[in-house]
């Protein structure tokens, strides 16, 4: 059932991230399809959290585990 829902929402998820046109955006699934990784630049952690929370996968509760980590580039 959940796999069916993922198949329904995956295109919206992809389009969501593409339309944001974020600086330094990189993302995609892991090779084993066990999840994925998204990296992007935001003004602050609050903005990043808002962006993530509007992801169709998150809104449809299709993400079992998610982590928001601030990465300090040197």
């Amino acid at each position: 059932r959940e796999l069916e829902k993922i198949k329904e929402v995956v295109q919206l998820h992809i389009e969501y991230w593409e339309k944001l046109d974020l600086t330094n955006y990189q993302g995609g699934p892991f090779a084993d399809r066990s999840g994925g990784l998204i990296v992007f630049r935001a003004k602050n952690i609050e903005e990043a959290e808002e962006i993530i929370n509007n992801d169709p996968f998150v809104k449809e509760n299709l993400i079992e585990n998610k982590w928001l980590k601030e990465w300090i580039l040197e």
Side-chain angles (χ1 to χ4, degrees):
R1 172 110 171 96
E2 189 170 294
L3 185 57
E4 291 173 22
K5 187 66 175 174
I6 290 171
K7 287 179 180 179
E8 289 176 19
V9 179
V10 71
Q11 192 58 42
L12 294 173
H13 164 75
I14 293 167
E15 290 171 5
Y16 172 76
W17 287 97
E18 287 176 351
K19 286 179 185 175
L20 288 172
D21 195 31
L22 295 166
T23 303
N24 295 84
Y25 168 84
Q26 290 190 331
F30 297 134
D32 66 1
R33 299 293 199 225
S34 63
L37 176 71
I38 295 175
V39 177
F40 61 93
R41 186 172 296 228
K43 293 178 201 167
N44 52 47
I45 199 83
E46 292 81 16
E47 180 187 53
E49 190 167 29
E50 182 179 340
I51 290 167
I52 291 165
N53 287 335
N54 284 309
D55 180 327
F57 274 178
V58 174
K59 290 177 123 181
E60 293 291 332
N61 294 314
L62 296 172
I63 306 283
E64 187 175 331
N65 295 303
K66 65 179 165 92
W67 295 269
L68 173 58
K69 298 283 188 174
E70 185 175 7
W71 185 15
I72 300 171
L73 295 172
E74 295 184 16

mmCIF file of all heavy atoms in Angstrom, residues 6-54:
data_model
loop_
_atom_site.group_PDB
_atom_site.id
_atom_site.type_symbol
_atom_site.label_atom_id
_atom_site.label_comp_id
_atom_site.label_asym_id
_atom_site.label_seq_id
_atom_site.Cartn_x
_atom_site.Cartn_y
_atom_site.Cartn_z
ATOM 1 N N ILE A 6 3.755 5.940 -2.711
ATOM 2 C CA ILE A 6 5.020 6.543 -3.126
ATOM 3 C C ILE A 6 5.031 6.733 -4.636
ATOM 4 O O ILE A 6 5.418 7.794 -5.134
ATOM 5 C CB ILE A 6 6.219 5.688 -2.661
ATOM 6 C CG1 ILE A 6 6.353 5.792 -1.139
ATOM 7 C CG2 ILE A 6 7.508 6.125 -3.347
ATOM 8 C CD1 ILE A 6 7.347 4.829 -0.527
ATOM 9 N N LYS A 7 4.597 5.728 -5.375
ATOM 10 C CA LYS A 7 4.560 5.829 -6.837
ATOM 11 C C LYS A 7 3.632 6.950 -7.291
ATOM 12 O O LYS A 7 3.890 7.604 -8.299
ATOM 13 C CB LYS A 7 4.131 4.499 -7.447
ATOM 14 C CG LYS A 7 5.207 3.444 -7.363
ATOM 15 C CD LYS A 7 4.729 2.130 -7.951
ATOM 16 C CE LYS A 7 5.808 1.069 -7.856
ATOM 17 N NZ LYS A 7 5.374 -0.221 -8.401
ATOM 18 N N GLU A 8 2.550 7.189 -6.545
ATOM 19 C CA GLU A 8 1.615 8.274 -6.879
ATOM 20 C C GLU A 8 2.233 9.648 -6.644
ATOM 21 O O GLU A 8 1.956 10.592 -7.374
ATOM 22 C CB GLU A 8 0.352 8.175 -6.007
ATOM 23 C CG GLU A 8 -0.560 7.025 -6.319
ATOM 24 C CD GLU A 8 -1.734 6.954 -5.339
ATOM 25 O OE1 GLU A 8 -2.043 7.973 -4.669
ATOM 26 O OE2 GLU A 8 -2.330 5.875 -5.233
ATOM 27 N N VAL A 9 3.065 9.767 -5.614
ATOM 28 C CA VAL A 9 3.557 11.074 -5.160
ATOM 29 C C VAL A 9 4.960 11.398 -5.679
ATOM 30 O O VAL A 9 5.359 12.559 -5.679
ATOM 31 C CB VAL A 9 3.522 11.128 -3.610
ATOM 32 C CG1 VAL A 9 4.046 12.439 -3.069
ATOM 33 C CG2 VAL A 9 2.105 10.904 -3.104
ATOM 34 N N VAL A 10 5.691 10.410 -6.173
ATOM 35 C CA VAL A 10 7.097 10.634 -6.515
ATOM 36 C C VAL A 10 7.284 11.759 -7.537
ATOM 37 O O VAL A 10 8.204 12.567 -7.400
ATOM 38 C CB VAL A 10 7.794 9.323 -6.969
ATOM 39 C CG1 VAL A 10 7.304 8.871 -8.331
ATOM 40 C CG2 VAL A 10 9.301 9.504 -6.973
ATOM 41 N N GLN A 11 6.434 11.862 -8.528
ATOM 42 C CA GLN A 11 6.605 12.924 -9.521
ATOM 43 C C GLN A 11 6.383 14.302 -8.900
ATOM 44 O O GLN A 11 7.097 15.252 -9.214
ATOM 45 C CB GLN A 11 5.671 12.715 -10.718
ATOM 46 C CG GLN A 11 5.991 13.606 -11.899
ATOM 47 C CD GLN A 11 7.414 13.460 -12.431
ATOM 48 O OE1 GLN A 11 7.952 12.364 -12.545
ATOM 49 N NE2 GLN A 11 8.045 14.570 -12.743
ATOM 50 N N LEU A 12 5.421 14.414 -7.994
ATOM 51 C CA LEU A 12 5.199 15.688 -7.290
ATOM 52 C C LEU A 12 6.417 16.052 -6.442
ATOM 53 O O LEU A 12 6.799 17.220 -6.350
ATOM 54 C CB LEU A 12 3.955 15.589 -6.402
ATOM 55 C CG LEU A 12 2.625 15.412 -7.122
ATOM 56 C CD1 LEU A 12 1.512 15.155 -6.105
ATOM 57 C CD2 LEU A 12 2.300 16.610 -7.982
ATOM 58 N N HIS A 13 7.010 15.041 -5.809
ATOM 59 C CA HIS A 13 8.210 15.231 -4.989
ATOM 60 C C HIS A 13 9.352 15.773 -5.863
ATOM 61 O O HIS A 13 9.999 16.760 -5.508
ATOM 62 C CB HIS A 13 8.581 13.880 -4.356
ATOM 63 C CG HIS A 13 9.944 13.787 -3.794
ATOM 64 N ND1 HIS A 13 10.317 14.369 -2.600
ATOM 65 C CD2 HIS A 13 11.050 13.148 -4.253
ATOM 66 C CE1 HIS A 13 11.584 14.089 -2.353
ATOM 67 N NE2 HIS A 13 12.054 13.348 -3.347
ATOM 68 N N ILE A 14 9.577 15.155 -7.002
ATOM 69 C CA ILE A 14 10.648 15.580 -7.917
ATOM 70 C C ILE A 14 10.395 17.000 -8.414
ATOM 71 O O ILE A 14 11.284 17.855 -8.385
ATOM 72 C CB ILE A 14 10.773 14.593 -9.100
ATOM 73 C CG1 ILE A 14 11.274 13.241 -8.598
ATOM 74 C CG2 ILE A 14 11.680 15.157 -10.189
ATOM 75 C CD1 ILE A 14 11.136 12.114 -9.616
ATOM 76 N N GLU A 15 9.175 17.256 -8.857
ATOM 77 C CA GLU A 15 8.824 18.583 -9.370
ATOM 78 C C GLU A 15 8.950 19.653 -8.294
ATOM 79 O O GLU A 15 9.386 20.777 -8.575
ATOM 80 C CB GLU A 15 7.412 18.569 -9.933
ATOM 81 C CG GLU A 15 7.291 17.787 -11.217
ATOM 82 C CD GLU A 15 5.849 17.585 -11.671
ATOM 83 O OE1 GLU A 15 4.918 18.146 -11.034
ATOM 84 O OE2 GLU A 15 5.652 16.861 -12.667
ATOM 85 N N TYR A 16 8.576 19.338 -7.073
ATOM 86 C CA TYR A 16 8.676 20.285 -5.959
ATOM 87 C C TYR A 16 10.117 20.784 -5.821
ATOM 88 O O TYR A 16 10.367 21.985 -5.786
ATOM 89 C CB TYR A 16 8.200 19.634 -4.658
ATOM 90 C CG TYR A 16 8.457 20.476 -3.440
ATOM 91 C CD1 TYR A 16 7.651 21.576 -3.161
ATOM 92 C CD2 TYR A 16 9.510 20.200 -2.575
ATOM 93 C CE1 TYR A 16 7.890 22.382 -2.049
ATOM 94 C CE2 TYR A 16 9.751 20.980 -1.464
ATOM 95 C CZ TYR A 16 8.941 22.072 -1.203
ATOM 96 O OH TYR A 16 9.182 22.863 -0.110
ATOM 97 N N TRP A 17 11.053 19.843 -5.751
ATOM 98 C CA TRP A 17 12.447 20.231 -5.554
ATOM 99 C C TRP A 17 13.016 20.940 -6.773
ATOM 100 O O TRP A 17 13.801 21.890 -6.627
ATOM 101 C CB TRP A 17 13.283 19.007 -5.152
ATOM 102 C CG TRP A 17 12.981 18.613 -3.736
ATOM 103 C CD1 TRP A 17 12.116 17.644 -3.315
ATOM 104 C CD2 TRP A 17 13.476 19.236 -2.564
ATOM 105 N NE1 TRP A 17 12.050 17.619 -1.956
ATOM 106 C CE2 TRP A 17 12.885 18.584 -1.460
ATOM 107 C CE3 TRP A 17 14.372 20.263 -2.324
ATOM 108 C CZ2 TRP A 17 13.172 18.942 -0.138
ATOM 109 C CZ3 TRP A 17 14.658 20.622 -1.011
ATOM 110 C CH2 TRP A 17 14.060 19.962 0.060
ATOM 111 N N GLU A 18 12.623 20.542 -7.972
ATOM 112 C CA GLU A 18 13.109 21.215 -9.178
ATOM 113 C C GLU A 18 12.611 22.654 -9.241
ATOM 114 O O GLU A 18 13.352 23.568 -9.598
ATOM 115 C CB GLU A 18 12.674 20.456 -10.427
ATOM 116 C CG GLU A 18 13.439 19.167 -10.643
ATOM 117 C CD GLU A 18 12.932 18.364 -11.830
ATOM 118 O OE1 GLU A 18 11.875 18.698 -12.414
ATOM 119 O OE2 GLU A 18 13.608 17.370 -12.181
ATOM 120 N N LYS A 19 11.348 22.883 -8.908
ATOM 121 C CA LYS A 19 10.762 24.225 -8.984
ATOM 122 C C LYS A 19 11.365 25.182 -7.969
ATOM 123 O O LYS A 19 11.368 26.394 -8.188
ATOM 124 C CB LYS A 19 9.245 24.146 -8.786
ATOM 125 C CG LYS A 19 8.529 23.592 -9.989
ATOM 126 C CD LYS A 19 7.039 23.496 -9.753
ATOM 127 C CE LYS A 19 6.341 22.826 -10.926
ATOM 128 N NZ LYS A 19 4.913 22.620 -10.671
ATOM 129 N N LEU A 20 11.857 24.669 -6.847
ATOM 130 C CA LEU A 20 12.460 25.536 -5.842
ATOM 131 C C LEU A 20 13.719 26.220 -6.363
ATOM 132 O O LEU A 20 14.054 27.316 -5.923
ATOM 133 C CB LEU A 20 12.796 24.739 -4.577
ATOM 134 C CG LEU A 20 11.608 24.315 -3.722
ATOM 135 C CD1 LEU A 20 12.074 23.379 -2.611
ATOM 136 C CD2 LEU A 20 10.890 25.513 -3.134
ATOM 137 N N ASP A 21 14.431 25.576 -7.280
ATOM 138 C CA ASP A 21 15.648 26.132 -7.870
ATOM 139 C C ASP A 21 16.600 26.656 -6.788
ATOM 140 O O ASP A 21 17.051 27.801 -6.823
ATOM 141 C CB ASP A 21 15.283 27.239 -8.863
ATOM 142 C CG ASP A 21 16.443 27.597 -9.772
ATOM 143 O OD1 ASP A 21 17.270 26.704 -10.071
ATOM 144 O OD2 ASP A 21 16.535 28.776 -10.178
ATOM 145 N N LEU A 22 16.883 25.794 -5.819
ATOM 146 C CA LEU A 22 17.718 26.168 -4.679
ATOM 147 C C LEU A 22 19.199 26.192 -5.034
ATOM 148 O O LEU A 22 19.669 25.403 -5.849
ATOM 149 C CB LEU A 22 17.509 25.164 -3.535
ATOM 150 C CG LEU A 22 16.109 25.146 -2.937
ATOM 151 C CD1 LEU A 22 15.922 23.905 -2.087
ATOM 152 C CD2 LEU A 22 15.854 26.401 -2.132
ATOM 153 N N THR A 23 19.925 27.077 -4.379
ATOM 154 C CA THR A 23 21.368 27.156 -4.543
ATOM 155 C C THR A 23 22.006 25.873 -4.014
ATOM 156 O O THR A 23 21.656 25.391 -2.944
ATOM 157 C CB THR A 23 21.921 28.365 -3.763
ATOM 158 O OG1 THR A 23 21.268 29.537 -4.219
ATOM 159 C CG2 THR A 23 23.422 28.509 -3.942
ATOM 160 N N ASN A 24 22.934 25.347 -4.759
ATOM 161 C CA ASN A 24 23.702 24.162 -4.385
ATOM 162 C C ASN A 24 22.836 22.927 -4.146
ATOM 163 O O ASN A 24 23.239 22.027 -3.411
ATOM 164 C CB ASN A 24 24.574 24.424 -3.155
ATOM 165 C CG ASN A 24 25.647 25.440 -3.425
ATOM 166 O OD1 ASN A 24 25.387 26.637 -3.348
ATOM 167 N ND2 ASN A 24 26.846 25.004 -3.753
ATOM 168 N N TYR A 25 21.665 22.869 -4.774
ATOM 169 C CA TYR A 25 20.795 21.700 -4.611
ATOM 170 C C TYR A 25 21.411 20.474 -5.276
ATOM 171 O O TYR A 25 21.871 20.529 -6.416
ATOM 172 C CB TYR A 25 19.415 21.950 -5.226
ATOM 173 C CG TYR A 25 18.602 20.681 -5.344
ATOM 174 C CD1 TYR A 25 17.878 20.216 -4.271
ATOM 175 C CD2 TYR A 25 18.600 19.936 -6.520
ATOM 176 C CE1 TYR A 25 17.147 19.034 -4.359
ATOM 177 C CE2 TYR A 25 17.885 18.754 -6.619
ATOM 178 C CZ TYR A 25 17.155 18.314 -5.537
ATOM 179 O OH TYR A 25 16.462 17.142 -5.625
ATOM 180 N N GLN A 26 21.431 19.386 -4.557
ATOM 181 C CA GLN A 26 21.762 18.077 -5.097
ATOM 182 C C GLN A 26 20.884 17.084 -4.363
ATOM 183 O O GLN A 26 20.695 17.190 -3.145
ATOM 184 C CB GLN A 26 23.226 17.709 -4.882
ATOM 185 C CG GLN A 26 24.170 18.522 -5.731
ATOM 186 C CD GLN A 26 25.577 17.978 -5.675
ATOM 187 O OE1 GLN A 26 25.995 17.391 -4.700
ATOM 188 N NE2 GLN A 26 26.309 18.178 -6.745
ATOM 189 N N GLY A 27 20.339 16.133 -5.076
ATOM 190 C CA GLY A 27 19.510 15.149 -4.406
ATOM 191 C C GLY A 27 19.184 13.980 -5.295
ATOM 192 O O GLY A 27 19.321 14.060 -6.517
ATOM 193 N N GLY A 28 18.784 12.912 -4.656
ATOM 194 C CA GLY A 28 18.386 11.731 -5.398
ATOM 195 C C GLY A 28 18.330 10.518 -4.488
ATOM 196 O O GLY A 28 18.685 10.582 -3.310
ATOM 197 N N PRO A 29 17.874 9.410 -5.054
ATOM 198 C CA PRO A 29 17.734 8.190 -4.263
ATOM 199 C C PRO A 29 19.077 7.491 -4.067
ATOM 200 O O PRO A 29 19.995 7.640 -4.871
ATOM 201 C CB PRO A 29 16.802 7.331 -5.113
ATOM 202 C CG PRO A 29 17.073 7.765 -6.518
ATOM 203 C CD PRO A 29 17.384 9.232 -6.426
ATOM 204 N N PHE A 30 19.159 6.692 -3.005
ATOM 205 C CA PHE A 30 20.308 5.811 -2.817
ATOM 206 C C PHE A 30 20.211 4.682 -3.842
ATOM 207 O O PHE A 30 19.112 4.345 -4.299
ATOM 208 C CB PHE A 30 20.323 5.222 -1.407
ATOM 209 C CG PHE A 30 20.468 6.258 -0.314
ATOM 210 C CD1 PHE A 30 19.661 6.208 0.808
ATOM 211 C CD2 PHE A 30 21.418 7.266 -0.400
ATOM 212 C CE1 PHE A 30 19.792 7.145 1.818
ATOM 213 C CE2 PHE A 30 21.549 8.213 0.610
ATOM 214 C CZ PHE A 30 20.738 8.151 1.720
ATOM 215 N N ALA A 31 21.325 4.087 -4.198
ATOM 216 C CA ALA A 31 21.362 3.034 -5.215
ATOM 217 C C ALA A 31 20.468 1.859 -4.861
ATOM 218 O O ALA A 31 19.858 1.248 -5.737
ATOM 219 C CB ALA A 31 22.800 2.554 -5.437
ATOM 220 N N ASP A 32 20.348 1.550 -3.564
ATOM 221 C CA ASP A 32 19.519 0.406 -3.158
ATOM 222 C C ASP A 32 18.053 0.786 -2.942
ATOM 223 O O ASP A 32 17.259 -0.025 -2.493
ATOM 224 C CB ASP A 32 20.084 -0.257 -1.911
ATOM 225 C CG ASP A 32 20.025 0.631 -0.671
ATOM 226 O OD1 ASP A 32 19.519 1.777 -0.747
ATOM 227 O OD2 ASP A 32 20.496 0.180 0.392
ATOM 228 N N ARG A 33 17.716 2.043 -3.247
ATOM 229 C CA ARG A 33 16.346 2.562 -3.125
ATOM 230 C C ARG A 33 15.794 2.497 -1.688
ATOM 231 O O ARG A 33 14.596 2.485 -1.471
ATOM 232 C CB ARG A 33 15.388 1.834 -4.066
ATOM 233 C CG ARG A 33 15.744 1.977 -5.535
ATOM 234 C CD ARG A 33 15.557 3.415 -5.934
ATOM 235 N NE ARG A 33 15.442 3.527 -7.406
ATOM 236 C CZ ARG A 33 16.064 4.430 -8.114
ATOM 237 N NH1 ARG A 33 16.849 5.286 -7.524
ATOM 238 N NH2 ARG A 33 15.907 4.505 -9.410
ATOM 239 N N SER A 34 16.686 2.515 -0.711
ATOM 240 C CA SER A 34 16.261 2.491 0.686
ATOM 241 C C SER A 34 15.944 3.887 1.215
ATOM 242 O O SER A 34 15.543 4.039 2.364
ATOM 243 C CB SER A 34 17.350 1.856 1.553
ATOM 244 O OG SER A 34 18.535 2.648 1.512
ATOM 245 N N GLY A 35 16.120 4.887 0.398
ATOM 246 C CA GLY A 35 15.885 6.267 0.811
ATOM 247 C C GLY A 35 16.614 7.184 -0.147
ATOM 248 O O GLY A 35 16.933 6.802 -1.269
ATOM 249 N N GLY A 36 16.911 8.382 0.322
ATOM 250 C CA GLY A 36 17.607 9.334 -0.517
ATOM 251 C C GLY A 36 18.264 10.417 0.313
ATOM 252 O O GLY A 36 18.150 10.437 1.540
ATOM 253 N N LEU A 37 18.925 11.313 -0.364
ATOM 254 C CA LEU A 37 19.641 12.405 0.285
ATOM 255 C C LEU A 37 19.408 13.673 -0.522
ATOM 256 O O LEU A 37 19.450 13.646 -1.756
ATOM 257 C CB LEU A 37 21.139 12.097 0.344
ATOM 258 C CG LEU A 37 22.043 13.193 0.906
ATOM 259 C CD1 LEU A 37 21.817 13.322 2.411
ATOM 260 C CD2 LEU A 37 23.500 12.854 0.630
ATOM 261 N N ILE A 38 19.153 14.761 0.185
ATOM 262 C CA ILE A 38 19.001 16.071 -0.455
ATOM 263 C C ILE A 38 19.886 17.052 0.286
ATOM 264 O O ILE A 38 19.866 17.118 1.517
ATOM 265 C CB ILE A 38 17.535 16.542 -0.432
ATOM 266 C CG1 ILE A 38 16.667 15.609 -1.269
ATOM 267 C CG2 ILE A 38 17.421 17.982 -0.927
ATOM 268 C CD1 ILE A 38 15.186 15.901 -1.213
ATOM 269 N N VAL A 39 20.665 17.818 -0.475
ATOM 270 C CA VAL A 39 21.538 18.853 0.075
ATOM 271 C C VAL A 39 21.192 20.152 -0.641
ATOM 272 O O VAL A 39 21.039 20.170 -1.863
ATOM 273 C CB VAL A 39 23.025 18.503 -0.170
ATOM 274 C CG1 VAL A 39 23.933 19.608 0.333
ATOM 275 C CG2 VAL A 39 23.382 17.172 0.462
ATOM 276 N N PHE A 40 21.047 21.233 0.127
ATOM 277 C CA PHE A 40 20.771 22.535 -0.485
ATOM 278 C C PHE A 40 21.182 23.636 0.475
ATOM 279 O O PHE A 40 21.398 23.404 1.657
ATOM 280 C CB PHE A 40 19.278 22.671 -0.842
ATOM 281 C CG PHE A 40 18.336 22.588 0.319
ATOM 282 C CD1 PHE A 40 17.905 23.742 0.973
ATOM 283 C CD2 PHE A 40 17.876 21.364 0.774
ATOM 284 C CE1 PHE A 40 17.032 23.667 2.052
ATOM 285 C CE2 PHE A 40 16.999 21.282 1.844
ATOM 286 C CZ PHE A 40 16.579 22.440 2.479
ATOM 287 N N ARG A 41 21.270 24.836 -0.053
ATOM 288 C CA ARG A 41 21.631 25.996 0.756
ATOM 289 C C ARG A 41 20.357 26.759 1.128
ATOM 290 O O ARG A 41 19.498 26.986 0.281
ATOM 291 C CB ARG A 41 22.568 26.903 -0.021
ATOM 292 C CG ARG A 41 23.114 28.053 0.799
ATOM 293 C CD ARG A 41 24.167 28.782 0.022
ATOM 294 N NE ARG A 41 25.270 27.857 -0.193
ATOM 295 C CZ ARG A 41 26.549 28.140 0.031
ATOM 296 N NH1 ARG A 41 26.877 29.315 0.445
ATOM 297 N NH2 ARG A 41 27.484 27.262 -0.197
ATOM 298 N N ALA A 42 20.260 27.156 2.395
ATOM 299 C CA ALA A 42 19.136 27.955 2.887
ATOM 300 C C ALA A 42 19.692 29.111 3.722
ATOM 301 O O ALA A 42 20.835 29.067 4.177
ATOM 302 C CB ALA A 42 18.198 27.095 3.728
ATOM 303 N N LYS A 43 18.849 30.126 3.926
ATOM 304 C CA LYS A 43 19.274 31.285 4.730
ATOM 305 C C LYS A 43 19.556 30.893 6.173
ATOM 306 O O LYS A 43 20.453 31.425 6.806
ATOM 307 C CB LYS A 43 18.190 32.364 4.715
ATOM 308 C CG LYS A 43 17.985 33.007 3.389
ATOM 309 C CD LYS A 43 16.859 34.019 3.474
ATOM 310 C CE LYS A 43 16.310 34.288 2.098
ATOM 311 N NZ LYS A 43 15.051 35.003 2.130
ATOM 312 N N ASN A 44 18.725 29.975 6.690
ATOM 313 C CA ASN A 44 18.865 29.550 8.079
ATOM 314 C C ASN A 44 18.155 28.208 8.262
ATOM 315 O O ASN A 44 17.502 27.711 7.345
ATOM 316 C CB ASN A 44 18.317 30.617 9.040
ATOM 317 C CG ASN A 44 16.911 31.039 8.681
ATOM 318 O OD1 ASN A 44 16.035 30.213 8.421
ATOM 319 N ND2 ASN A 44 16.675 32.348 8.649
ATOM 320 N N ILE A 45 18.267 27.658 9.432
ATOM 321 C CA ILE A 45 17.694 26.341 9.705
ATOM 322 C C ILE A 45 16.163 26.365 9.628
ATOM 323 O O ILE A 45 15.542 25.386 9.202
ATOM 324 C CB ILE A 45 18.207 25.792 11.064
ATOM 325 C CG1 ILE A 45 18.022 24.284 11.164
ATOM 326 C CG2 ILE A 45 17.563 26.495 12.226
ATOM 327 C CD1 ILE A 45 19.099 23.500 10.521
ATOM 328 N N GLU A 46 15.564 27.490 9.992
ATOM 329 C CA GLU A 46 14.105 27.607 9.925
ATOM 330 C C GLU A 46 13.605 27.552 8.483
ATOM 331 O O GLU A 46 12.595 26.906 8.190
ATOM 332 C CB GLU A 46 13.630 28.891 10.614
ATOM 333 C CG GLU A 46 13.822 28.908 12.108
ATOM 334 C CD GLU A 46 15.239 29.271 12.558
ATOM 335 O OE1 GLU A 46 16.035 29.800 11.749
ATOM 336 O OE2 GLU A 46 15.552 28.999 13.732
ATOM 337 N N GLU A 47 14.309 28.234 7.589
ATOM 338 C CA GLU A 47 13.930 28.192 6.182
ATOM 339 C C GLU A 47 14.091 26.771 5.634
ATOM 340 O O GLU A 47 13.221 26.279 4.906
ATOM 341 C CB GLU A 47 14.782 29.157 5.349
ATOM 342 C CG GLU A 47 14.402 29.117 3.879
ATOM 343 C CD GLU A 47 15.322 29.932 2.992
ATOM 344 O OE1 GLU A 47 16.555 29.729 3.046
ATOM 345 O OE2 GLU A 47 14.786 30.764 2.237
ATOM 346 N N ALA A 48 15.165 26.120 5.993
ATOM 347 C CA ALA A 48 15.392 24.745 5.537
ATOM 348 C C ALA A 48 14.274 23.822 6.031
ATOM 349 O O ALA A 48 13.759 22.989 5.272
ATOM 350 C CB ALA A 48 16.747 24.251 6.025
ATOM 351 N N GLU A 49 13.881 23.985 7.271
ATOM 352 C CA GLU A 49 12.818 23.156 7.841
ATOM 353 C C GLU A 49 11.486 23.387 7.115
ATOM 354 O O GLU A 49 10.755 22.444 6.822
ATOM 355 C CB GLU A 49 12.670 23.442 9.330
ATOM 356 C CG GLU A 49 11.763 22.480 10.040
ATOM 357 C CD GLU A 49 11.890 22.598 11.546
ATOM 358 O OE1 GLU A 49 12.203 23.689 12.058
ATOM 359 O OE2 GLU A 49 11.673 21.575 12.206
ATOM 360 N N GLU A 50 11.195 24.625 6.795
ATOM 361 C CA GLU A 50 9.963 24.937 6.065
ATOM 362 C C GLU A 50 9.963 24.293 4.679
ATOM 363 O O GLU A 50 8.960 23.727 4.238
ATOM 364 C CB GLU A 50 9.786 26.457 5.940
ATOM 365 C CG GLU A 50 8.511 26.845 5.235
ATOM 366 C CD GLU A 50 8.327 28.356 5.139
ATOM 367 O OE1 GLU A 50 8.962 29.100 5.909
ATOM 368 O OE2 GLU A 50 7.529 28.779 4.284
ATOM 369 N N ILE A 51 11.097 24.376 4.003
ATOM 370 C CA ILE A 51 11.216 23.762 2.676
ATOM 371 C C ILE A 51 10.978 22.257 2.775
ATOM 372 O O ILE A 51 10.218 21.685 1.990
ATOM 373 C CB ILE A 51 12.606 24.076 2.071
ATOM 374 C CG1 ILE A 51 12.686 25.560 1.700
ATOM 375 C CG2 ILE A 51 12.897 23.186 0.872
ATOM 376 C CD1 ILE A 51 14.078 26.056 1.384
ATOM 377 N N ILE A 52 11.616 21.627 3.722
ATOM 378 C CA ILE A 52 11.480 20.172 3.887
ATOM 379 C C ILE A 52 10.045 19.802 4.239
ATOM 380 O O ILE A 52 9.496 18.831 3.709
ATOM 381 C CB ILE A 52 12.463 19.669 4.953
ATOM 382 C CG1 ILE A 52 13.894 19.791 4.420
ATOM 383 C CG2 ILE A 52 12.146 18.232 5.355
ATOM 384 C CD1 ILE A 52 14.955 19.664 5.478
ATOM 385 N N ASN A 53 9.426 20.553 5.121
ATOM 386 C CA ASN A 53 8.067 20.220 5.552
ATOM 387 C C ASN A 53 7.024 20.375 4.449
ATOM 388 O O ASN A 53 5.931 19.837 4.550
ATOM 389 C CB ASN A 53 7.679 21.033 6.778
ATOM 390 C CG ASN A 53 8.391 20.553 8.018
ATOM 391 O OD1 ASN A 53 8.801 19.399 8.110
ATOM 392 N ND2 ASN A 53 8.555 21.443 8.980
ATOM 393 N N ASN A 54 7.368 21.109 3.384
ATOM 394 C CA ASN A 54 6.450 21.262 2.256
ATOM 395 C C ASN A 54 6.686 20.238 1.141
ATOM 396 O O ASN A 54 5.978 20.248 0.133
ATOM 397 C CB ASN A 54 6.529 22.684 1.700
ATOM 398 C CG ASN A 54 5.803 23.657 2.595
ATOM 399 O OD1 ASN A 54 4.651 23.435 2.949
ATOM 400 N ND2 ASN A 54 6.467 24.723 2.981
#
